[in-house]
Amino acid sequence: MSENGLNGASNGNGSNGVNGVNGEGRTALSLVPKTDQKQTMKDFKTDQEVRWCPGCGDYAILAAVQSFLPELGLRRENITFVSGIGCSSRFPYYMNTYGFHSIHGRAPAIATGLASSRPDLSVWVVTGDGDALSIGGNHLIHALRRNVNLKILLFNNRIYGLTKGQYSPTSELGKITKSTPMGSLDAPFNPISLALGAEGSFVARTIDSDRKHLQSVLREAAQHQGTALVEIYQNCNIFNDGAFDPLKDAGVRDDVTVRLEHGQPIVFGAEGQKALRRTPTGSFEVVNVADVDPSEIAVHDAHAPDPSQAFALSRLDSPAFEHTPIGIFRQVRRPSYDELLGDQVEGAVRAQGKGDLAALLGSGDTWRID
């Protein structure tokens, strides 16, 4: 990368902090420098050999991200990918941007520091279901509740791939693996429900093989001011092949996949013959369009301040993929951590002056050892 990299852009703190919260025009990319050079997918490829198992879903995700990023028109020096440990965490090696292959489960924590101190960066976290939801679960939920300005791509293949096929926090009950030869006894996490419970301001799900849908979700996530979590169903063809076949099989996918679009009735099925209706208890039930009045069909509201509808949609999913929602579950505006931090720092400077680090370190009780 050029020497105009991480040290080359302006800070952007201060008056761009909390004062921008009520300005709906501000997005996550408002302070990120743009390039005046036309970019292509090739610009985001590195000279590193891409090394995943042949047929791995990660290839499709990588290609989708590399072909989508030129649309943003950002300087590559101001884009950063941070990963943890796992197959997905090789991602930064293959992106011709800045990157940080960090430690197991800690990518959200490292990215939090980066995004909080450098609002001129577009910061992305790449993680897996094991990395994010097991050892990294605590870091993930706190990044979500703080609403740090970063984008988290959670590759969910429901297995530990890098360590050769142990069950993961999203593996279904009864899953037989090398570490659970008699079947898993753990109830799996639902990443969407978890993110919504942590007050995630942008929560979405997509599929590795559906590039059009994947990129449409990425576009929205990239512009979102705050934490955006995108769960990506990703096939591990070596240790958990076919885990998401019902969502990919042309013969059945339209009948089991519920595509969410803000402001649109939740209708699905190969011929649009099915729909979702809200029950008196707040959950959803599947109905035949022909059997109900159009007013009974639920309309998706991703912008609702109350996440209860989005949460109810997340509970519609099942291990058998009888009905699986994909798309943006929730997309709301609330102050991001870096906005609040920038305003707080500026307020302290106004009240107390810029400060002197050397004087601070040398103040109070000190000892000199000769």
Side-chain angles (χ1 to χ4, degrees):
M1 302 300 296
S2 79
E3 60 186 22
N4 292 321
L6 292 182
N7 295 319
S10 61
N11 190 295
N13 258 327
S15 61
N16 291 309
V18 167
N19 295 327
V21 170
N22 294 322
E24 293 299 322
R26 177 169 176 184
T27 72
L29 304 179
S30 296
L31 302 179
V32 183
K34 303 293 191 295
T35 179
D36 56 4
Q37 303 294 320
K38 180 177 175 56
Q39 296 175 332
T40 66
M41 179 179 181
K42 185 177 179 181
D43 293 313
F44 288 90
K45 293 183 176 181
T46 70
D47 60 359
Q48 299 299 298
E49 179 186 359
V50 182
R51 301 187 66 181
W52 286 308
C53 300
C56 175
D58 288 358
Y59 286 98
I61 301 172
L62 175 64
V65 172
Q66 289 174 331
S67 60
F68 140 77
L69 282 177
E71 298 178 15
L72 301 181
L74 304 177
R75 287 176 40 180
R76 289 180 295 117
E77 293 87 347
N78 291 82
I79 303 174
T80 306
F81 282 84
V82 182
S83 66
I85 297 295
C87 295
S88 63
S89 295
R90 302 179 66 86
F91 215 85
Y93 294 103
Y94 310 137
M95 295 299 304
N96 194 18
T97 63
Y98 274 94
F100 192 155
H101 190 174
S102 68
I103 53 180
H104 208 186
R106 274 65 178 184
I110 293 169
T112 292
L114 188 59
S116 297
S117 60
R118 293 294 304 272
D120 59 314
L121 300 181
S122 177
V123 181
W124 298 73
V125 170
V126 179
T127 184
D129 47 304
D131 185 57
L133 298 173
S134 185
I135 191 170
N138 202 43
H139 296 289
L140 177 69
I141 61 173
H142 289 299
L144 287 163
R145 77 176 177 91
R146 290 181 178 124
N147 202 33
V148 184
N149 191 23
L150 50 88
K151 319 305 154 201
I152 303 173
L153 306 184
L154 196 164
F155 296 14
N156 183 6
N157 55 25
R158 294 185 167 179
I159 204 75
Y160 275 103
L162 186 67
T163 51
K164 309 300 185 286
Q166 299 84 359
Y167 82 113
S168 85
T170 57
S171 295
E172 58 270 29
L173 191 66
K175 182 75 172 180
I176 296 176
T177 71
K178 293 178 180 178
S179 55
T180 54
M182 298 178 66
S184 169
L185 302 177
D186 291 357
F189 272 129
N190 181 321
I192 300 297
S193 298
L194 181 73
L196 291 168
E199 293 296 335
S201 59
F202 184 105
V203 182
R205 175 190 288 143
T206 185
I207 305 171
D208 58 2
S209 58
D210 190 341
R211 179 181 287 201
K212 182 178 179 180
H213 188 268
L214 170 57
Q215 291 186 327
S216 70
V217 171
L218 291 178
R219 288 186 189 98
E220 294 293 325
Q223 299 288 345
H224 181 72
Q225 180 69 10
T227 303
L229 181 131
V230 180
E231 178 191 21
I232 306 174
Y233 281 156
Q234 176 260 326
N235 190 49
C236 175
N237 60 311
I238 302 300
F239 297 109
N240 201 23
D241 194 25
F244 307 109
D245 275 357
L247 305 180
K248 301 183 178 187
D249 185 340
V252 299
R253 67 188 178 197
D254 290 335
D255 288 323
V256 299
T257 305
V258 181
R259 294 180 177 268
L260 303 175
E261 294 184 40
H262 173 70
Q264 297 300 313
I266 308 177
V267 176
F268 63 104
E271 299 177 359
Q273 75 277 20
K274 298 181 181 181
L276 294 186
R277 177 173 63 183
R278 203 80 185 267
T279 70
T281 61
S283 62
F284 284 97
E285 62 181 356
V286 178
V287 296
N288 293 318
V289 172
D291 297 337
V292 299
D293 187 274
S295 63
E296 296 181 63
I297 298 175
V299 175
H300 182 46
D301 184 4
H303 301 165
D306 183 352
S308 60
Q309 186 194 63
F311 190 84
L313 285 169
S314 76
R315 306 312 295 168
L316 190 68
D317 195 11
S318 71
F321 298 108
E322 295 168 355
H323 303 101
T324 298
I326 65 171
I328 300 172
F329 289 73
R330 192 180 194 218
Q331 184 179 19
V332 297
R333 183 74 168 95
R334 64 183 177 89
S336 65
Y337 184 84
D338 44 293
E339 288 177 310
L340 297 172
L341 179 63
D343 193 70
Q344 191 176 73
V345 169
E346 185 181 73
V349 170
R350 284 198 304 266
Q352 304 176 43
K354 195 170 183 180
D356 185 329
L357 180 60
L360 175 65
L361 294 175
S363 65
D365 294 330
T366 59
W367 295 266
R368 176 172 178 173
I369 302 175
D370 295 321

